Amino acid sequence: MSIRRFLAGLTALLLWSCFSAARLSAAESGTRVEAILVWATHVAKTNDSTLKELEPQLTKKLRKAYKWDLYYEVRRKEATVSGKEATKIPISEKCMLDIKHLGDERFEVHLTGKGKAVSRSVESLAHGHIMVVAGDDKNDTAWLIVIRELPAKK
Amino acid sequence: MDFDAQLKLQAYLDGELPEAEAREVAKLLAQDQEAVLLQGELRNTRQALKGSEAIVQLPESREFYWSKIAREIERLDRPERVEQKRPFIFRLQRFLVPVTGALAVAIFLGITLINSSTGTTLGETELASEDMGAITFRSESEGMTTVWLYNRGDSELSDELAPDNVEPQ
C-alpha cells in the first residue's frame, strides 16, 4: 500500500466520521414534522364548516391507495421533533401522537388513544415519504393520520 | 602403454571405435602383453558391473527431472537480494496500516451501535394490546407507508380507536 492510498483512506474515514456526527447532531437538534388528521368517506359533507377538503396532491396519493373518494382535513398540527425525547402532538381531544427522531430520517411514532397506548411504529420519512396510521370508522368511513417531514425553516 | 591407448582399448571393448582404429588396437593386443592384461581386467570389470548395477527409475519424465536440476542451479547462481534501507515513514507504515484499519473498524462499529442503540427496525409496528392487529404496507413507488389498525375480534370495534370528532356529528 502506498502512502498516498493510506492518506486517502484516512481522509475518507475522517470525512465519514464527521458526516455521521453531523447527522446525529441534526437528529438531536430537531426536525419539523406535520401530522394531519383526515377523514375518508364516500359521501360529501359540504355543510360542515369544520371540515375542509384535503390538499389535492395528498388526496390524489390517498385515492390511489385507499377505496374512498373523499378526504377531509379535520386537524393539522406541526411540531419540531428531536432525538432526545418524544414530542407530543395532540391530534384530537383523546388521541395523541408521540414522535421521536431516531436519526437518518427515521421516526418512531407512538399512538395513544383515550389515554391508552395503541401502537408504536418506526418509519423513514425521507424524500417526501409519508406515513399513515389509520383505522376503520363508522358507516364505512375511515380515519387517517398522515405524518410527514416538513422542509427545514430558513 | 599410455593413457590414450588405454582409453582406446576401453572404447574397443565397448565397440565404439571406427574400423581403422579398431584394427590398430587389435594389432596392439597381438603384440603387447600389458594391453592383453588390461583388456582382461576391463572385461571382468564390465562383466561384474553388468550384474550389479542398479537401474534408477525417475519418478517423473526425464525432461522434467533435468529442468528441476537446471532451475535449482539457476536459483543458487542468482545473487542474493540486498535488503534496501527504507525511509522511516515506510517502516512506520507497516505498523500504522493495521492499526488504522483496526481503528476504522472500531469507529464504524461504534457509530453503528450508537445509531442502532434504540433497537429499532424500519417498518416495524408494535401493538399495545393483543386484541388488536395491524397491517403495514409500504410502497416505495408511492412514497407511502400505511399502518392499518384493526380489532382482531370484531372489526366494528376498531371504531373505538378513531380519534374523537373525526366524523362530523
Side-chain angles (χ1 to χ4, degrees):
Chain A
M1 183 191 278
S2 72
I3 194 76
R4 275 189 187 176
R5 279 189 185 173
F6 171 72
L7 287 174
L10 199 64
T11 312
L13 180 71
L14 285 171
L15 285 173
W16 176 76
S17 303
C18 292
F19 178 66
S20 298
R23 284 195 308 180
L24 282 174
S25 152
E28 283 180 3
S29 64
T31 307
R32 287 175 66 232
V33 166
E34 184 178 54
I36 311 167
L37 179 59
V38 177
W39 182 55
T41 178
H42 295 293
V43 185
K45 301 279 180 182
T46 49
N47 54 351
D48 193 322
S49 59
T50 59
L51 295 175
K52 62 176 180 180
E53 282 188 17
L54 192 64
E55 59 192 69
Q57 211 173 349
L58 193 52
T59 302
K60 193 178 168 187
K61 205 171 206 175
L62 298 179
R63 271 186 191 149
K64 271 190 177 179
Y66 311 120
K67 64 178 181 178
W68 295 277
D69 300 320
L70 301 165
Y71 295 87
Y72 292 102
E73 181 181 322
V74 181
R75 192 162 298 168
R76 185 184 289 251
K77 291 273 184 181
E78 262 187 50
T80 301
V81 300
S82 72
K84 287 176 186 169
E85 55 185 40
T87 302
K88 292 189 182 302
I89 306 176
I91 200 71
S92 73
E93 282 178 20
K94 293 180 180 176
C95 181
M96 175 83 80
L97 289 175
D98 287 83
I99 305 181
K100 191 175 178 182
H101 191 190
L102 302 176
D104 283 344
E105 308 202 44
R106 289 180 310 145
F107 292 83
E108 186 180 57
V109 178
H110 286 260
L111 176 66
T112 309
K114 295 174 185 171
K116 288 180 183 173
V118 177
S119 68
R120 172 189 163 274
S121 306
V122 176
E123 192 50 67
S124 166
L125 302 181
H127 313 298
H129 194 94
I130 64 168
M131 180 185 183
V132 181
V133 182
D136 291 313
D137 207 344
K138 293 167 190 165
N139 305 322
D140 196 21
T141 62
W143 57 270
L144 296 85
I145 302 169
V146 178
I147 302 156
R148 62 185 176 187
E149 188 179 350
L150 292 173
K153 274 182 183 171
K154 289 179 182 176
Chain B
M1 198 179 173
D2 62 4
F3 184 67
D4 280 347
Q6 287 175 359
L7 282 177
K8 272 189 181 176
L9 186 59
Q10 170 74 64
Y12 174 75
L13 272 175
D14 293 340
E16 292 172 348
L17 283 181
E19 203 175 329
E21 284 186 51
R23 269 199 303 271
E24 275 179 29
V25 174
K27 202 175 168 183
L28 179 72
L29 283 168
Q31 295 167 354
D32 193 340
Q33 186 58 34
E34 193 186 345
V36 174
L37 287 172
L38 180 61
Q39 184 195 27
E41 197 177 327
L42 289 169
R43 193 173 283 154
N44 288 338
T45 308
R46 189 172 67 173
Q47 203 63 37
L49 285 174
K50 254 186 187 174
S52 61
E53 194 174 13
I55 297 167
V56 179
Q57 291 287 340
L58 294 176
E60 56 261 318
S61 72
R62 182 187 169 86
E63 291 76 19
F64 182 68
Y65 179 76
W66 286 111
S67 73
K68 277 203 309 188
I69 292 172
R71 276 202 302 274
E72 187 62 13
I73 291 168
E74 277 176 25
R75 191 183 68 79
L76 292 174
D77 285 348
R78 217 174 290 152
E80 274 185 34
R81 195 179 288 172
V82 181
E83 193 66 33
Q84 289 179 342
K85 199 162 187 180
R86 293 184 160 196
F88 174 71
I89 189 74
F90 285 102
R91 278 180 284 146
L92 190 66
Q93 194 178 328
R94 271 190 185 175
F95 168 74
L96 277 178
V97 168
V99 169
T100 313
L103 201 66
V105 170
I107 291 172
F108 175 77
L109 287 176
I111 291 180
T112 308
L113 279 175
I114 289 168
N115 280 338
S116 62
S117 60
T118 48
T120 53
T121 313
L122 203 64
E124 73 176 34
T125 296
E126 286 173 10
L127 297 167
S129 165
E130 287 184 359
D131 295 336
M132 287 187 56
I135 300 168
T136 303
F137 48 97
R138 193 169 205 275
S139 167
E140 284 293 340
S141 59
E142 294 298 326
M144 187 170 155
T145 298
T146 299
V147 179
W148 200 271
L149 302 170
Y150 64 94
N151 192 296
R152 289 182 194 276
D154 181 359
S155 63
E156 288 295 316
L157 291 177
S158 65
D159 299 349
E160 290 177 6
L161 296 170
D164 276 9
N165 306 324
V166 172
E167 187 179 6
Q169 302 300 311

